[in-house]
């Protein structure tokens, strides 16, 4: 995970270690001693930088969400058509998760434990208008009004798109049993999956 340039090397090590531990064990299951060990420092130094596990979790989660929002938000805003916006969203979401699986696990764990922090960040990003799901919702609504796609509920449609982009990562062991080729070459399977999702969703939204 990349952190801002004004963080010290020690803080960078802590962020990397904390993300791995929080992603694996969740906030409740993680231990500060584990994070200190993973960062190669003692627990006293960890508490010098972050006075509590809750504070560290909030900072790691906030930075992870900023990275997610920024990872393909600019590309979405530049996409001139619904077709291109859908393509950018699917490719960007899948590529982010593939390159940041610990971040994906962190967000999944946050959802499983109530999601209050995730909800807070999503509401802030939505108000700012730069959340990728919000951009896609607005694009779908405009495409419906223009007659480019059939009349669908934009919010439900985005939820379906997000779900299909995320599920095969969350259920990777099951997917690899159902699709042996995924176990042989996961990266190739992911690329094929992106193409399949785009084709399925785009054609499914074609005007009736």
């Amino acid at each position: 995970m990349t952190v801002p340039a004004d963080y010290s090397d020690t803080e960078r090590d802590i962020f990397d270690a904390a993300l791995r531990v929080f992603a694996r064990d969740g906030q409740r299951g993680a231990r500060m001693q584990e994070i200190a060990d993973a960062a190669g420092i003692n627990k006293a130094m960890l508490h010098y930088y972050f006075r509590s596990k809750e504070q560290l979790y909030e900072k790691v989660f906030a930075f992870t969400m900023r990275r997610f929002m920024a990872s393909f938000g600019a590309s979405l805003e530049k996409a001139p058509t619904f077709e291109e916006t859908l393509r950018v969203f699917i490719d960007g979401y899948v590529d982010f998760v593939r390159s940041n699986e610990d971040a994906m696990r962190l967000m999944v764990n946050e959802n499983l434990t109530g999601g209050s922090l995730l909800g807070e960040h999503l509401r802030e990003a939505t108000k700012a208008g730069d959340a990728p799901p919000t951009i896609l919702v607005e694009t779908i609504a405009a495409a419906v009004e223009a007659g480019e796609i059939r009349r669908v509920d934009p919010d439900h449609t985005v939820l379906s798109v997000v779900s299909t982009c995320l599920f095969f990562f969350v259920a990777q062991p099951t997917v690899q049993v159902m699709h042996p080729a995924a176990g042989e070459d996961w990266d190739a399977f992911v690329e094929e999956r992106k193409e399949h999702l785009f084709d399925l969703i785009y054609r499914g939204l074609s005007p009736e």
Side-chain angles (χ1 to χ4, degrees), residues 94 164-172 175 186 189-190 193 197:
V94 171
T164 55
C165 287
L166 184 60
F167 174 77
F168 63 97
F169 287 105
V170 175
Q172 183 174 344
V175 170
W186 179 250
F189 173 79
V190 171
R193 188 70 183 157
L197 290 177

Side-chain angles (χ1 to χ4, degrees), residues 21-22 25-32 34-35 53:
V21 176
F22 284 135
D25 301 332
Q27 182 184 2
R28 293 178 183 174
R31 297 289 178 268
M32 291 292 269
E34 289 181 282
I35 295 171
K53 182 173 69 171

